[in-house]
Amino acid sequence: SSLENTDPQTALDWASSLHGTERDNALGSVIGRLANDNPEAAAAALDQLPDSNRRSSLVQQIAMNWANTDPNAALQWVETAAGSGSYDSAVSQILSRLGQNDPTSAADYISQMDSGNAKSSSISNLASQWAQNDVQSALAWAQQLPADNTQDAQARKSAYQNILNTWANSDPASAAAYLQNLSPGDANLNTAANNIARLWAQTDPNTALNWANNLQDPAMRTAALGTAVSQLANTDPQSAYNYVSQLPAGNDTNKMLGSVISTWSSQDPAKAADLLASSNLSGAALESAGIAPALLATPLSRVTQAQYAHLTHLLRHRLRDELWGLCSRPVPPGAFAQTCRLLVGCRTLGE
């Protein structure tokens, strides 16, 4: 260990003189130490080490450190030195470093890569990095990305989403204005629209709601508006309820009302119960399940098992409460399934 720090070349010569596993272990230790101070020399010495998990780990270590001083040289080396098990990770690390200071060079290298996981991951990472410093250049780059096959098309979509999500974190109003001008359904940016709506509603809920409600794409509008309403309901359920109450009647509006009332019930259960009783949610849910609301006035009326199952399913989703308001607080979706998973290893319910 002392020789590795003071005279790495002598340490390498000594390690090379050993045999078998002892040689490989000693070489790995020396090269690992050398990679931190002189990654180029470590890269040259790596040829003495056979393929193994240790070698793959050293490839990544050398790539990461070399990328700090000369990422282009590191990329050239890793193309020949990295095995299939370490190439993706090593290239990703180098491009991440290069993208911080020279995103254009990183983009040029990515354009020469074959389609695959390494290329897709590199595109996604560079999109987020570039957008932090220059959104417009990042968008221009994403627009010219190829979509010749399914994987490349998905990578292009991911780049768009990452750029808009990063933009929304710093300037949701500008990101929203850009998204508003896209053609309906362009790049399937529902995720980005939801993120913009959520972040914008935290600082300017009224503007965020109006923007979401005026989106051209129906699916994007419904999703973004629901997200903005849910965000507002967390801090001001009364305002959220008032806004949704002014929207045209329909299934989407009922879902938003149910979401608001469910959120409100955790703060004021009595008020939420009154709102639920005065709203048309109960009747709408019954009709959606194929149950005539008039049956509630008939003591001997009955519903089928399928109707009851449909009704409870609707209530769980619209109220975001797995027990449909039966408890003092909503039971979050997924809680029952998680409870069942935890019970699997118990011998009795008492445990």
Side-chain angles (χ1 to χ4, degrees):
S1 176
S2 176
L3 193 59
E4 292 174 11
N5 296 326
T6 59
D7 192 348
Q9 185 56 54
T10 301
L12 277 173
D13 293 341
W14 166 78
S16 299
S17 68
L18 301 175
H19 301 281
T21 303
E22 186 178 17
R23 175 184 180 275
D24 293 345
N25 290 338
L27 276 174
S29 177
V30 176
I31 294 172
R33 178 65 183 84
L34 189 60
N36 296 325
D37 300 324
N38 191 342
E40 186 173 0
L46 192 66
D47 291 336
Q48 303 179 54
L49 203 62
D51 287 338
S52 62
N53 291 336
R54 176 62 169 157
R55 189 181 194 279
S56 297
S57 176
L58 286 170
V59 167
Q60 296 177 42
Q61 183 181 350
I62 293 170
M64 182 177 64
N65 286 287
W66 204 349
N68 290 327
T69 57
D70 192 345
N72 290 313
L75 283 171
Q76 292 178 1
W77 168 76
V78 82
E79 288 179 356
T80 57
S84 58
S86 57
Y87 174 79
D88 289 2
S89 178
V91 167
S92 178
Q93 290 174 340
I94 298 171
L95 289 175
S96 179
R97 293 290 198 279
L98 183 61
Q100 292 174 0
N101 301 314
D102 190 357
T104 301
S105 294
D108 289 342
Y109 184 88
I110 291 172
S111 68
Q112 303 301 317
M113 296 174 67
D114 294 332
S115 298
N117 292 335
K119 182 176 182 179
S120 297
S121 175
S122 298
I123 287 174
S124 180
N125 292 336
L126 180 59
S128 299
Q129 280 185 313
W130 207 341
Q132 292 176 5
N133 301 313
D134 189 346
V135 170
Q136 297 304 324
S137 295
L139 285 171
W141 165 70
Q143 288 170 355
Q144 55 80 43
L145 286 172
D148 300 330
N149 54 60
T150 302
Q151 192 160 28
D152 283 349
Q154 181 60 38
R156 186 174 187 269
K157 170 186 169 183
S158 177
Y160 260 113
Q161 290 179 342
N162 285 1
I163 292 168
L164 285 174
N165 287 344
T166 301
W167 196 4
N169 278 301
S170 59
D171 187 358
S174 296
Y178 176 84
L179 192 67
Q180 183 77 48
N181 293 326
L182 295 179
S183 300
D186 191 350
N188 192 22
L189 296 175
N190 288 7
T191 300
N194 287 348
N195 199 35
I196 291 171
R198 177 179 58 82
L199 292 167
W200 206 357
Q202 293 176 7
T203 57
D204 189 352
N206 290 328
T207 305
L209 288 167
N210 290 333
W211 166 78
N213 199 28
N214 286 299
L215 286 170
Q216 300 179 52
D217 184 78
M220 185 182 293
R221 179 174 61 250
T222 298
L225 189 59
T227 298
V229 166
S230 294
Q231 181 62 47
L232 178 58
N234 290 329
T235 56
D236 188 353
Q238 181 68 67
S239 295
Y241 181 83
N242 292 342
Y243 180 84
V244 176
S245 297
Q246 305 302 314
L247 296 175
N251 190 46
D252 292 332
T253 299
N254 287 339
K255 288 181 179 179
M256 284 186 277
L257 278 175
S259 174
V260 172
I261 292 174
S262 176
T263 300
W264 209 340
S265 67
S266 64
Q267 304 173 24
D268 188 345
K271 177 66 174 177
D274 291 341
L275 289 174
L276 182 61
S278 63
S279 71
N280 189 42
L281 288 179
S282 299
L286 289 170
E287 291 175 352
S288 296
I291 302 172
L295 287 177
L296 297 181
T298 306
L300 297 180
S301 60
R302 296 291 184 269
V303 297
T304 66
Q305 183 179 7
Q307 288 174 322
Y308 182 76
H310 192 176
L311 177 62
T312 56
H313 176 79
L314 286 171
L315 291 174
R316 283 198 302 270
H317 283 267
R318 292 186 180 179
L319 298 178
R320 291 192 304 173
D321 180 358
E322 290 206 335
L323 290 181
W324 338 305
L326 297 177
C327 298
S328 60
R329 292 180 179 276
V331 177
F336 180 74
Q338 179 63 21
T339 300
C340 291
R341 284 191 288 268
L342 294 174
L343 286 172
V344 168
C346 299
R347 292 172 298 176
T348 66
L349 289 175
E351 291 185 0

